[in-house]
Amino acid sequence: MSTVENQLEELQSTIESEVPNDITITEVRYEGPELVIYTRDPKRFASDGDLVRQLASQLRKRITVRPDPTALSSPDDAEAEVTEVIPDEAGVTDLDFHIDTGEVVIEAQKPGMVIGRHGTTLREITQETGWTPEVVRTPPIESSTVKNVRNFLKQERNERRDILERIGRQIHREEMSDDQWVRITTLGCCREVGRAAFILSTPETRVLIDCGDKPGSEDEVPYLQVPEALGSGPSSLDAVILTHAHLDHSALVPLLFKYGYDGPIYTTEPSRDLMGLLTLDYLDVAAKEGRAPPYESEMVREAIKHTIPLEYGDVTDIAPDIKLTLHNAGHILGSAVAHFHIGDGLYNVAFSGDIHYDDTRLFNGAVNDFPRVETLVLESTYGGRDDYQTDQKDSERKLKHVLKNTLERDGKVVIPAFAVGRSQEIMLVLEEAMRKGELPEVPVHLDGMIWEATAIHTTYPEYLRDDLRERIFHDDSNPFLADQFNHIDGGEEERQEVADSGPCIILSTSGMMEGGPIMSWLEHVGSEEDSTLMFVGYQAEGTLGSRIQNGRREIPIGGRNGRGSSLTLNMDVKTVDGFSGHADRQGLENFVQTMNPRPEKVLCVHGDERSTQDLSSALYHDFNMRTFAPKNLETFRFL
Amino acid sequence: MSTVENQLEELQSTIESEVPNDITITEVRYEGPELVIYTRDPKRFASDGDLVRQLASQLRKRITVRPDPTALSSPDDAEAEVTEVIPDEAGVTDLDFHIDTGEVVIEAQKPGMVIGRHGTTLREITQETGWTPEVVRTPPIESSTVKNVRNFLKQERNERRDILERIGRQIHREEMSDDQWVRITTLGCCREVGRAAFILSTPETRVLIDCGDKPGSEDEVPYLQVPEALGSGPSSLDAVILTHAHLDHSALVPLLFKYGYDGPIYTTEPSRDLMGLLTLDYLDVAAKEGRAPPYESEMVREAIKHTIPLEYGDVTDIAPDIKLTLHNAGHILGSAVAHFHIGDGLYNVAFSGDIHYDDTRLFNGAVNDFPRVETLVLESTYGGRDDYQTDQKDSERKLKHVLKNTLERDGKVVIPAFAVGRSQEIMLVLEEAMRKGELPEVPVHLDGMIWEATAIHTTYPEYLRDDLRERIFHDDSNPFLADQFNHIDGGEEERQEVADSGPCIILSTSGMMEGGPIMSWLEHVGSEEDSTLMFVGYQAEGTLGSRIQNGRREIPIGGRNGRGSSLTLNMDVKTVDGFSGHADRQGLENFVQTMNPRPEKVLCVHGDERSTQDLSSALYHDFNMRTFAPKNLETFRFL
């Protein structure tokens, strides 16, 4: 009998001896990192609010209780009972009963009202029906991504259970090695921005953190082919951790499945959905540009199927000797600092991913408070000695000033923006300014993936900044639902209409003007002298955005069909800095300075050579810690 | 057609166009790093002394010319002709004709006389017979190791040719990668002494440098199981380089073949033979101590079969992007500094192996003059700030003083010594002292593997110190053949005889008194108050040698059969330092200071934590180079 079987038998005995005598346990099994307890008496379980919490704390496991199929009322009966228990104001939009696991997935506009204070309503549902409720939010703005992901996971439910059981056994396997060491191998994004990928390894376990592409460079992908990455086979990886969904961290995660990986991806729920959105678009763009995409869309689905979503703060066993906890990173929706607790108090490593240290309108600042941490792997995008950014208040003042001037002369403002993150930040500034009368109330048109990305933001308000979340939860004043926001979903015709009407604001992808609907907007509005083209994000060298910033006014258009014509840009061109999703140099130093506890070692990564070395030497001098600016393909050993 | 076929075809055309018209080339093929040219006109080839050299320099390849079988006289005819050409004084002891390759292996007491001035005699042999001569030395002292290795290689000649051809194709394969980097991965002997093992890797090639055990620790072997070592399969290694034959560098080389490696081992000829001797003894000791040996003696034979011997200074292609050159390291017979030239002028790394910087009686000091070298991997055994050793002259004076005192009072001197290196150094001191009358001429008995190791030394005088080599070559005054040296080959009976006779000197293994015949000598001589036990080598903590140095006089004996009795040691106990095979702290600094060119980076390895860190910080401060004291399991990237 395998040791996992033994473990499960022992766990079942312990649980049986801990729960009241009249509760029957029929099975105990692992599903991913969770221990699932099947019982014939789910109602009795639910009636003791502390029982599960006590078991979890005693067994040091995440625990889910499910009814044994024999204990279930029929879905029809249960539906009536569930509807009875949940208050109407919760706005239930879907009930989905799964007889095999005794779970009912409840989609509701106000999940909080389905859960109830401290989970009382959830327990009441189980007490009444025996079913285990699982609650998801009905997207306030319809999101095809969220809908597709949910439908897909529903359809793949059985296979997913098998996957989770296999992963569960892998996680809880017996430790084999007496040796003790912790290593980090750099496979990308060292002395460069892009192709984030690291391996964290112990004698027992190997995990991959991120697997991104390098914007502007098709050839430079993470060094996956070296022996210490996938050279010893994709099954030598225990887990993949995705810190956030931006392509320079996520683009090649689905490729791992093409290579034969079939283990878990740990990330937040919004990162999973955004990864789906962004990687499918990535394949789309490759196809449109006539490049062979590195993998098929099927692989994106595999990645989603293998994702185990974690909430911030959940301490999760991902291997016999590693516990993972994700914490808010303040960078984009669902972005995380990944904290690894290795061995039983042996060593702790935190990977910052991309962080914003100060609060922004959208997000709380990055978490830098951990039970323990000896080594920090820190992004350094703005780590250079002069990389200080304008204060956000000043930036917003300047933004509103430009907008006001243009709108007052009946012009339009066209803002090229990244779909995820900066667009929503600007939307919040616009909504507030119009609500407070600082700006005239004009339509704000959202084109490209911005609307869809915003819809995903509204689906996960738990991941937004405290006061924004409170507004959405309690005041029914979700700023993203403000009337002035219009989704451009009518193609060229609608754009023509907008162009023909009065003053307005247009946010459109792509953020660096490398294709996308922003090119149409240039054709429609580019010749208007009273209108303004406003940059709010970093424009990489060589992009059209950068060339326009540098004074170019002859814009090639319609290149796709081969008839290379051009237009003359008459718009006013402005740049407003300070809306970056990255901490600036001061923010990075503050993150380290106030970090609790202060790490012993810092690896400065995810920045060009100058930035990583500047930051590395500054942290060494200011805080007397051991710092490094690694190259790609190096391995550092700790312990 | 494979690209290697294309390459060979092109090479054949080039050669055909370069040689005179009346020379017919029948085939061109690779055997290991060499290009072998088969010709129907070997005599014509031999008549132009410069032709091969010109081709080698033009093609940048090591070239061997062999007769097409059709061009050969019969072995019987050839034997007569060969014997006619070679002067009698050469002392030919064996002629071995190989029809398949047209080679005749000539074993002679004076190989120099078979070769002739600038190879004239060799060429004459080919001109007369068509056969290609290969010369080896008849061991002046019969060596079973050398005999066994030669017989084994003769017997495996056909398989070896196949192996060499396969390796040759591997070496000359087309380069696949556009990427450029050079990395070193530490698999052992970092912040410790023992289990030397490094991987040098480029996008194209991976080579393993050394693969040793850790004396005194059975469990601590090189980290071969990690993905970047053999995790991606033993065939992912292109080559193994052995710097010298001591077990902490060689013990686990045969294990690689058990794991499935079947590529080349590059080392010197004496290192090959000593590796055979020492690893077979290693298996023997394991069996005697009741431990499961990590591999069978068959694997030692595989290792020998796969060895491609290199001479000091030979620049050899070992991969499409790596040239290897071995240089004298001054440590033991055949020990080498391994210099790697990577890419076409891209990067150069030198691995010191174990070195002695100053000349000793046996060896010239280590070579530290290279065309280029950017990174040096340097041993640090005596790298600690206080690791200065007694000057050799003083050590010898002290040694002779102790010997003289003991011999004059009719006592015996028992010296525990390592078979390879220190024993021969002491022999040279003794021979000279007796010859010069500084010591009375008493018998010097050599017990354990010392005699056999000495025989191997005399087989390869080319590897000994200049003046010693000259003495052996020209003066017929080989000091190892001096009359006073006696091989103890009569077991306990002979030892008893020696014990019962007058004053003498006994050198016996093991060097740290952990078993071996030295234990018998203690039983025979240990109680004699007038005799002396003299230590001339490092005694590791925990060994019997170390305990005796620290004052212990009750010696457990006969423990093997379980009847644990003991004897009281009445001998005088002396320690004479200064005969180490390692450079001391000053020697290591001198090696780096006078190194030409001075390397940019130094990795200090093969020393305990204090020694490597002391040396690393000293080299940094004194010479302003980047220095490191790596841990095991780290990877450093250069470029």
Side-chain angles (χ1 to χ4, degrees):
Chain A
M1 199 189 287
S2 80
T3 58
V4 174
E5 300 301 340
N6 292 338
Q7 248 183 68
L8 288 171
E9 273 197 6
E10 277 174 37
L11 284 167
Q12 181 159 350
S13 312
T14 311
I15 294 164
E16 281 167 345
S17 69
E18 290 296 319
V19 300
N21 279 337
D22 54 345
I23 294 185
T24 313
I25 308 297
T26 54
E27 196 192 351
V28 168
R29 50 187 274 168
Y30 287 123
E31 285 192 12
E34 301 211 351
L35 185 68
V36 181
I37 302 173
Y38 282 88
T39 174
R40 280 213 200 87
D41 309 289
K43 300 179 183 179
R44 282 281 293 118
F45 244 109
S47 68
D48 183 347
D50 274 339
L51 194 50
V52 170
R53 206 176 323 140
Q54 278 165 13
L55 281 175
S57 129
Q58 188 188 340
L59 304 174
R60 301 182 69 191
K61 298 248 181 296
R62 285 169 58 185
I63 287 181
T64 300
V65 176
R66 297 217 194 110
D68 189 87
T70 60
L72 289 177
S73 55
S74 77
D76 284 350
D77 292 350
E79 181 163 349
E81 289 163 345
V82 168
T83 312
E84 177 76 25
V85 172
I86 302 175
D88 286 348
E89 301 89 322
V92 171
T93 50
D94 190 34
L95 286 178
D96 191 22
F97 290 87
H98 300 279
I99 295 186
D100 52 345
T101 61
E103 286 171 302
V104 50
V105 181
I106 304 167
E107 193 183 66
Q109 285 160 339
K110 304 199 173 193
M113 304 201 67
V114 182
I115 295 166
R117 205 173 162 75
H118 300 309
T120 46
T121 311
L122 285 186
R123 276 200 299 281
E124 208 181 325
I125 291 170
T126 304
Q127 276 177 279
E128 291 294 324
T129 69
W131 289 78
T132 303
E134 201 186 303
V135 192
V136 296
R137 180 181 305 273
T138 314
I141 301 174
E142 193 179 306
S143 159
S144 56
T145 304
V146 173
K147 196 167 79 183
N148 289 341
V149 168
R150 286 181 185 171
N151 284 340
F152 172 68
L153 288 177
K154 194 191 285 190
Q155 165 198 326
E156 300 290 330
R157 209 172 162 89
N158 283 338
E159 194 190 333
R160 195 170 143 79
R161 264 186 95 200
D162 293 345
I163 293 172
L164 286 176
E165 191 180 357
R166 181 170 46 71
I167 292 171
R169 287 164 173 273
Q170 187 67 11
I171 292 171
H172 297 96
R173 71 188 184 270
E174 207 172 0
E175 287 191 57
M176 300 299 286
S177 173
D178 295 331
D179 223 345
Q180 289 194 329
W181 40 259
V182 175
R183 305 196 296 164
I184 290 174
T185 300
T186 56
L187 302 179
C189 93
C190 288
R191 305 199 181 185
E192 65 181 352
V193 175
R195 57 170 166 174
F198 299 92
I199 290 201
L200 176 70
S201 60
T202 72
E204 205 66 49
T205 304
R206 302 174 68 240
V207 305
L208 177 68
I209 293 109
D210 291 341
C211 196
D213 75 339
K214 184 166 178 177
S217 167
E218 288 160 40
D219 299 336
E220 294 177 276
V221 294
Y223 288 96
L224 295 176
Q225 77 286 8
V226 296
E228 61 266 47
L230 299 183
S232 49
S235 61
S236 68
L237 278 187
D238 287 84
V240 175
I241 288 85
L242 178 63
T243 61
H244 68 283
H246 273 158
L247 287 170
D248 60 329
H249 294 252
S250 72
L252 299 176
V253 167
L255 181 65
L256 299 170
F257 292 88
K258 184 170 178 179
Y259 286 168
Y261 177 69
D262 68 348
I265 299 172
Y266 294 98
T267 194
T268 61
E269 217 163 1
S271 290
R272 176 195 63 195
D273 295 358
L274 288 171
M275 170 184 75
L277 174 69
L278 295 177
T279 53
L280 288 174
D281 183 63
Y282 170 79
L283 297 180
D284 231 38
V285 170
K288 277 186 189 147
E289 293 180 356
R291 286 182 282 123
Y295 50 85
E296 301 71 45
S297 58
E298 177 59 24
M299 295 301 132
V300 176
R301 284 192 286 277
E302 283 300 314
I304 288 169
K305 200 197 297 174
H306 285 77
T307 297
I308 296 180
L310 302 183
E311 292 179 18
Y312 292 150
D314 279 354
V315 180
T316 304
D317 290 308
I318 63 167
D321 60 344
I322 300 188
K323 288 181 201 300
L324 167 68
T325 314
L326 301 181
H327 299 275
N328 171 44
H331 173 64
I332 63 164
L333 186 74
S335 66
V337 176
H339 178 276
F340 298 88
H341 176 74
I342 296 155
D344 212 1
L346 187 66
Y347 207 78
N348 296 267
V349 179
F351 284 78
S352 76
D354 291 359
I355 51 170
H356 199 287
Y357 177 66
D358 294 310
D359 293 350
T360 58
R361 282 180 176 268
L362 271 174
F363 304 113
N364 296 325
V367 167
N368 65 350
D369 195 2
F370 307 97
R372 277 180 52 191
V373 60
E374 281 84 25
T375 286
L376 169 68
V377 181
L378 179 64
E379 71 124 315
S380 317
T381 317
Y382 291 111
R385 69 180 90 248
D386 303 318
D387 292 346
Y388 293 89
Q389 290 185 347
T390 318
D391 173 62
Q392 174 144 6
K393 283 254 169 308
D394 289 342
S395 302
E396 292 189 3
R397 204 172 298 125
K398 187 169 173 199
L399 181 92
K400 285 182 275 194
H401 180 73
V402 172
L403 287 164
K404 204 159 169 242
N405 277 354
T406 307
L407 296 174
E408 279 176 356
R409 64 179 186 239
D410 282 349
K412 301 181 183 70
V413 181
V414 177
I415 307 175
F418 302 103
V420 175
R422 290 321 91 201
S423 292
Q424 290 75 34
E425 187 79 18
I426 302 291
M427 284 169 76
L428 290 176
V429 177
L430 298 180
E431 188 272 341
E432 185 190 86
M434 290 180 187
R435 181 159 41 83
K436 290 189 173 171
E438 295 168 4
L439 280 181
E441 285 213 15
V442 297
V444 179
H445 303 287
L446 309 174
D447 205 353
M449 284 195 309
I450 296 173
W451 185 268
E452 179 58 27
T454 305
I456 297 176
H457 279 71
T458 63
T459 309
Y460 300 103
E462 301 81 355
Y463 288 83
L464 301 174
R465 176 171 161 162
D466 293 339
D467 51 0
L468 180 56
R469 182 171 61 210
E470 293 303 308
R471 273 181 72 193
I472 294 174
F473 279 176
H474 297 292
D475 300 336
D476 280 327
S477 59
N478 186 335
F480 296 115
L481 298 178
D483 288 338
Q484 58 268 38
F485 294 124
N486 170 50
H487 181 197
I488 298 286
D489 53 2
E492 278 310 298
E493 207 172 313
E494 188 178 4
R495 289 189 194 102
Q496 188 61 57
E497 274 171 35
V498 170
D500 293 342
S501 18
C504 66
I505 301 168
I506 297 149
L507 270 80
S508 175
T509 56
S510 72
M512 296 187 193
M513 310 190 68
E514 292 286 280
I518 188 73
M519 304 311 288
S520 290
W521 289 109
L522 280 192
E523 292 189 48
H524 288 296
V525 186
S527 60
E528 298 179 6
E529 287 181 20
D530 289 335
S531 290
T532 301
L533 177 66
M534 179 161 67
F535 293 102
V536 296
Y538 178 67
Q539 304 296 307
E541 194 127 342
T543 58
L544 179 57
S546 159
R547 280 176 292 179
I548 292 175
Q549 277 187 317
N550 291 330
R552 177 157 179 175
R553 291 295 177 268
E554 290 301 310
I555 313 297
I557 50 165
R560 267 185 220 157
N561 49 22
R563 285 172 294 129
S565 64
S566 75
L567 68 83
T568 303
L569 190 69
N570 293 324
M571 299 172 84
D572 200 12
V573 174
K574 298 282 188 202
T575 295
V576 181
D577 286 328
F579 291 98
S580 171
H582 290 275
D584 69 351
R585 168 63 177 269
Q586 190 60 55
L588 291 168
E589 289 201 36
N590 291 346
F591 181 86
V592 174
Q593 182 165 26
T594 64
M595 192 162 163
N596 181 31
R598 192 76 73 74
E600 297 161 6
K601 292 179 186 154
V602 181
L603 272 59
C604 298
V605 304
H606 197 288
D608 60 28
E609 184 151 353
R610 186 189 52 81
S611 303
T612 50
Q613 289 185 334
D614 277 5
L615 186 63
S616 168
S617 95
L619 295 177
Y620 167 71
H621 285 294
D622 295 351
F623 308 128
N624 193 29
M625 23 178 60
R626 294 209 61 187
T627 64
F628 306 87
K631 298 187 185 117
N632 290 329
L633 286 175
E634 295 199 301
T635 296
F636 293 79
R637 176 174 169 178
F638 310 101
L639 284 183
Chain B
M1 200 188 288
S2 80
T3 57
V4 174
E5 300 300 341
N6 292 338
Q7 244 183 68
L8 288 170
E9 274 198 4
E10 278 174 36
L11 283 167
Q12 181 157 351
S13 313
T14 311
I15 293 164
E16 280 167 346
S17 70
E18 289 297 319
V19 300
N21 278 336
D22 55 346
I23 293 184
T24 313
I25 307 296
T26 54
E27 195 192 353
V28 168
R29 50 186 273 166
Y30 288 123
E31 286 191 13
E34 301 210 350
L35 185 69
V36 181
I37 302 174
Y38 282 88
T39 173
R40 280 213 199 85
D41 309 288
K43 301 178 184 181
R44 284 279 294 117
F45 244 109
S47 69
D48 183 346
D50 274 341
L51 195 50
V52 170
R53 205 175 325 138
Q54 279 165 13
L55 281 175
S57 127
Q58 189 188 339
L59 304 175
R60 300 181 68 190
K61 299 246 181 298
R62 285 168 59 184
I63 287 181
T64 301
V65 176
R66 297 218 193 108
D68 190 88
T70 61
L72 288 177
S73 55
S74 78
D76 284 350
D77 292 351
E79 180 161 351
E81 289 163 345
V82 169
T83 313
E84 178 77 22
V85 173
I86 302 175
D88 287 347
E89 302 89 324
V92 171
T93 51
D94 190 36
L95 287 178
D96 191 22
F97 291 87
H98 300 278
I99 296 187
D100 53 343
T101 61
E103 286 171 299
V104 50
V105 180
I106 304 167
E107 192 184 67
Q109 285 160 340
K110 304 198 174 195
M113 304 201 68
V114 182
I115 295 165
R117 207 175 158 74
H118 300 309
T120 46
T121 312
L122 285 185
R123 277 200 299 281
E124 209 181 322
I125 291 170
T126 303
Q127 276 176 279
E128 292 294 325
T129 68
W131 290 76
T132 303
E134 199 187 304
V135 193
V136 296
R137 179 182 306 273
T138 315
I141 301 174
E142 193 181 306
S143 159
S144 56
T145 303
V146 173
K147 198 168 79 185
N148 289 341
V149 168
R150 287 182 184 170
N151 285 340
F152 172 68
L153 289 176
K154 194 190 286 187
Q155 165 199 324
E156 300 289 329
R157 212 174 157 88
N158 284 337
E159 194 191 332
R160 194 169 143 79
R161 264 186 93 201
D162 294 343
I163 292 172
L164 285 176
E165 191 179 356
R166 181 168 47 71
I167 292 170
R169 288 166 172 271
Q170 187 66 11
I171 292 172
H172 298 94
R173 70 187 185 271
E174 208 173 358
E175 287 192 56
M176 299 299 286
S177 174
D178 295 331
D179 221 346
Q180 288 193 331
W181 42 258
V182 175
R183 305 195 296 164
I184 290 175
T185 300
T186 56
L187 303 179
C189 92
C190 288
R191 305 199 180 186
E192 65 181 352
V193 174
R195 56 169 167 177
F198 299 91
I199 290 202
L200 176 70
S201 61
T202 71
E204 206 64 50
T205 304
R206 303 173 67 237
V207 305
L208 177 69
I209 294 108
D210 291 342
C211 197
D213 75 338
K214 184 165 179 178
S217 166
E218 288 159 38
D219 299 337
E220 295 178 275
V221 295
Y223 288 95
L224 296 175
Q225 76 286 8
V226 296
E228 62 266 46
L230 299 182
S232 50
S235 61
S236 68
L237 277 186
D238 286 84
V240 175
I241 288 86
L242 177 63
T243 61
H244 67 283
H246 273 158
L247 287 171
D248 60 329
H249 294 252
S250 72
L252 300 176
V253 167
L255 181 65
L256 299 170
F257 292 88
K258 183 169 178 180
Y259 286 169
Y261 177 70
D262 68 347
I265 299 172
Y266 295 97
T267 194
T268 60
E269 218 163 359
S271 290
R272 177 195 62 194
D273 295 358
L274 288 172
M275 170 184 74
L277 174 67
L278 295 178
T279 53
L280 288 174
D281 183 61
Y282 169 79
L283 296 181
D284 232 37
V285 170
K288 276 186 189 148
E289 294 181 356
R291 286 183 282 120
Y295 50 85
E296 301 71 45
S297 57
E298 177 59 26
M299 296 301 132
V300 176
R301 285 191 286 277
E302 284 300 314
I304 288 169
K305 200 197 297 175
H306 285 77
T307 296
I308 297 180
L310 302 183
E311 291 179 18
Y312 292 149
D314 278 356
V315 180
T316 305
D317 290 308
I318 62 166
D321 60 344
I322 300 189
K323 288 181 201 299
L324 166 68
T325 315
L326 301 181
H327 299 276
N328 172 43
H331 173 64
I332 63 165
L333 185 74
S335 66
V337 176
H339 178 276
F340 297 89
H341 176 74
I342 296 155
D344 213 1
L346 186 67
Y347 206 78
N348 297 266
V349 179
F351 283 78
S352 75
D354 291 359
I355 52 170
H356 198 287
Y357 177 66
D358 294 309
D359 293 349
T360 58
R361 283 180 174 266
L362 270 174
F363 306 114
N364 296 325
V367 167
N368 63 351
D369 196 2
F370 308 97
R372 276 181 51 191
V373 59
E374 282 83 24
T375 286
L376 168 68
V377 180
L378 178 64
E379 71 125 315
S380 317
T381 318
Y382 292 109
R385 69 181 87 249
D386 303 318
D387 291 346
Y388 294 90
Q389 291 184 345
T390 317
D391 173 62
Q392 175 144 4
K393 285 253 170 308
D394 289 340
S395 303
E396 292 189 2
R397 204 171 300 125
K398 185 167 173 202
L399 181 91
K400 286 182 276 195
H401 180 73
V402 172
L403 288 163
K404 204 158 170 249
N405 277 354
T406 307
L407 297 172
E408 279 176 357
R409 63 178 185 239
D410 282 351
K412 302 181 182 72
V413 181
V414 177
I415 307 177
F418 302 104
V420 175
R422 290 321 90 199
S423 292
Q424 290 74 36
E425 187 80 17
I426 301 290
M427 286 169 77
L428 290 176
V429 178
L430 299 180
E431 187 274 338
E432 185 190 86
M434 291 181 187
R435 182 160 41 82
K436 292 189 172 170
E438 296 169 1
L439 279 182
E441 285 214 12
V442 297
V444 178
H445 303 287
L446 307 173
D447 203 353
M449 286 193 310
I450 296 175
W451 185 268
E452 178 58 27
T454 305
I456 298 176
H457 279 70
T458 63
T459 309
Y460 299 104
E462 301 82 356
Y463 287 84
L464 301 174
R465 175 170 162 164
D466 293 340
D467 51 359
L468 179 57
R469 181 172 62 210
E470 292 304 306
R471 274 182 71 193
I472 294 174
F473 279 175
H474 297 294
D475 301 334
D476 280 328
S477 60
N478 185 335
F480 297 114
L481 298 177
D483 288 337
Q484 58 268 39
F485 293 123
N486 170 52
H487 181 198
I488 297 287
D489 52 2
E492 279 308 300
E493 206 172 315
E494 188 178 5
R495 289 188 193 104
Q496 187 62 55
E497 275 170 35
V498 170
D500 293 342
S501 18
C504 65
I505 299 168
I506 298 150
L507 270 80
S508 175
T509 55
S510 76
M512 296 188 192
M513 310 190 68
E514 293 285 280
I518 188 73
M519 304 311 288
S520 289
W521 289 108
L522 280 193
E523 293 188 47
H524 288 297
V525 186
S527 60
E528 298 180 5
E529 288 182 15
D530 289 337
S531 291
T532 301
L533 177 66
M534 179 161 68
F535 293 102
V536 295
Y538 177 68
Q539 303 296 307
E541 194 128 343
T543 59
L544 180 58
S546 157
R547 278 176 291 179
I548 292 175
Q549 277 187 319
N550 291 329
R552 177 156 177 176
R553 292 297 176 267
E554 289 301 311
I555 314 298
I557 51 164
R560 266 184 220 158
N561 49 22
R563 284 172 295 130
S565 62
S566 74
L567 67 82
T568 303
L569 189 71
N570 294 323
M571 300 172 83
D572 201 11
V573 175
K574 298 280 190 206
T575 295
V576 180
D577 285 329
F579 291 98
S580 172
H582 291 275
D584 69 351
R585 167 64 177 268
Q586 190 60 55
L588 292 168
E589 288 200 35
N590 291 346
F591 181 86
V592 174
Q593 181 164 27
T594 64
M595 191 161 165
N596 180 31
R598 190 77 69 78
E600 298 162 6
K601 291 177 187 156
V602 181
L603 272 58
C604 297
V605 304
H606 197 289
D608 60 28
E609 184 152 353
R610 187 188 51 82
S611 303
T612 51
Q613 289 185 335
D614 277 5
L615 186 62
S616 168
S617 95
L619 296 177
Y620 167 72
H621 286 295
D622 295 351
F623 308 128
N624 192 27
M625 23 178 60
R626 293 208 62 186
T627 63
F628 306 86
K631 298 187 186 115
N632 289 330
L633 286 174
E634 296 199 300
T635 296
F636 293 79
R637 177 174 169 177
F638 311 102
L639 286 181

